[in-house]
Amino acid sequence: MERHVVLHLDMDAFFAAIEQRERPELRGQPVLIGRPGPRGVVATCSYEARPFGVHSAMPSVTAERLCPQGIWVQPRFELYAEVSRRIFELVAGAAPVVEQVSIDEAYADLAGIAPDLEAGARLAQELKRSIRQQESLTASAGVAWCRFLAKVASDMNKPDGLTVIAPEDVPRLLWPRPARVIPGVGPKLAARLERMGIRTVGELAATPAPRLRRALGTALADYLAERARGEDDTPVAEHHGRKQVSEERTYREDLTARAEVERELLARAEGVAEELRRRGLLARCIGIKVRDGRYRTITRSRTVEAPTDLAGEIYAVALALLRGVDEFRARGIRLLGLAARELVAAHEVPPSLFPDEQRARARAVARTADELRERFGHDAVRPARLLGRRRPADPAEGED
Ligand code: TTP
Ligand code: MG
């Protein structure tokens, strides 16, 4: 595979740094963003609060105990979103391909503008400088030949850091880090690795492949071994602008029969799932939209356990949501819509620790059906329940 220089950029103490910029009296102070008290959590804290052990997602009561002198500030999300938008406009102006992954974090592919790591580092330095000039905020950057190492690098010298990890730096810079720096290694997997005597990335890299495979299964073992070598061929992709994949239909005659409603819902699930697979996306959230003959509209949504691109799973969630608006169906359905939201790139979801064979087979079957449709036209493959669909949908799709 062609090698690209990748930059990862992550703002320092983002919400807290913005508050310190807006309110000079907070500068140099331990600032805790969030609500104090038994039900609150810390969104983030300034670097002055970090030596006390405070961190993101910590219960506020714990933070109050660790850092009683901390100054609590209620979050102002709209302000942070606006600052974020301006910062990523700067990044987009500096790099050809940018993938924003959170409110304060993005990857950029520097192919074509940075032929090597030194050039990438110069570009990162310039970007940090323009963010400082325009927004009076600091960012930390990492530069490497792949996403994973760029991310590890940006985290190594926070705040205001700039770190390059070249392939020859992997033993010195990556291997001493805890296995947790690998995306997908959460507390459970970390504990499991520890029981195998593996704490650091270096220990992971030194574990013979057969042993790792026996313990974790081939897919996960090979994924971890690859990261432990400092390798990651996941491309930087610009798909994150897309918020949802959806389909809806308006009917000339209101749908009343249960079987008919369910058949329509299944057809929408098929369409949405196919589109997700085509774009290489998985959905964490499924929503429905139902409108009755008197133009009353209800929407419902639900987060799913495992991100999905399977029609069967999407349909099951949508059906459960529809059952919750049963009274609606009694009045007849004029419009029925289905949406997949909170999309994640399929390649970013690490292989599961407990691979679900049935699910893997279902996805393989779905992909085969996609290929057949591509070759033989859209009606070539459809679920038996959709055969012999008679009632035509109104061509006026997407009423609003
Ligand atoms: P992070 O980049 O994880 O944290 P940070 O920018 O505050 O600090 P660092 O210098 O270590 O990068 O998250 C960015 C923002 O997202 C953070 O300022 C607040 C918000 N956030 C939450 O609201 N809750 C959370 O659990 C996390 C992790 C972040
Ligand atoms: Mg940050």
Side-chain angles (χ1 to χ4, degrees), residues 328-346:
F328 239 76
R329 209 166 45 205
R331 287 202 294 269
I333 289 174
R334 164 66 51 91
L335 173 151
L336 190 60
L338 196 157
R341 304 201 187 90
E342 293 177 34
L343 306 178
V344 285

Side-chain angles (χ1 to χ4, degrees), residues 4 35 46 59 67-68 108 151 156 184 226 284 302 312 332 351 370 394:
H4 293 189
R35 279 168 236 280
S46 66
C67 184
K151 165 113 177 155
M156 284 186 63
E226 194 178 286
R284 284 186 201 283
R302 177 176 297 176
D370 291 343
D394 205 299

Side-chain angles (χ1 to χ4, degrees), residues 220-246:
L220 182 60
D222 292 354
Y223 164 83
L224 293 175
E226 194 178 286
R227 294 298 174 275
R229 291 192 300 269
E231 293 166 10
D232 174 9
D233 57 14
T234 316
V236 175
E238 253 174 322
H239 54 74
H240 281 259
R242 184 95 193 232
K243 293 248 162 28
Q244 66 170 40
V245 168
S246 65

Side-chain angles (χ1 to χ4, degrees), residues 272-342:
V272 165
E274 196 185 333
E275 174 80 3
L276 287 172
R277 289 191 299 270
R278 212 168 55 73
R279 294 176 175 273
L281 298 171
L282 299 173
R284 284 186 201 283
C285 178
I286 303 302
I288 58 162
K289 176 165 149 190
V290 188
R291 178 173 297 156
D292 72 7
R294 278 173 283 175
Y295 277 86
R296 272 175 307 201
T297 309
I298 287 187
T299 59
R300 292 281 184 279
S301 61
R302 177 176 297 176
T303 303
V304 294
E305 255 167 61
T308 185
D309 59 2
L310 289 176
E313 294 182 357
I314 294 172
Y315 173 66
V317 177
L319 193 60
L321 291 168
L322 189 68
R323 297 234 159 98
V325 296
D326 242 2
E327 82 283 8
F328 239 76
R329 209 166 45 205
R331 287 202 294 269
I333 289 174
R334 164 66 51 91
L335 173 151
L336 190 60
L338 196 157
R341 304 201 187 90
E342 293 177 34

Side-chain angles (χ1 to χ4, degrees), residues 10-14 47 50 102 104-105 158:
D10 187 323
M11 300 301 296
D12 301 318
F14 191 49
Y47 273 79
R50 298 199 183 191
S102 81
D104 83 327
E105 196 186 328
K158 267 181 164 292

Side-chain angles (χ1 to χ4, degrees), residues 107 146-153 174 181-183 201 226-228 230-232:
Y107 292 93
C146 70
R147 288 169 73 105
F148 167 61
L149 286 183
K151 165 113 177 155
V152 169
L174 177 65
V181 301
I182 299 174
V201 180
E226 194 178 286
R227 294 298 174 275
E231 293 166 10
D232 174 9

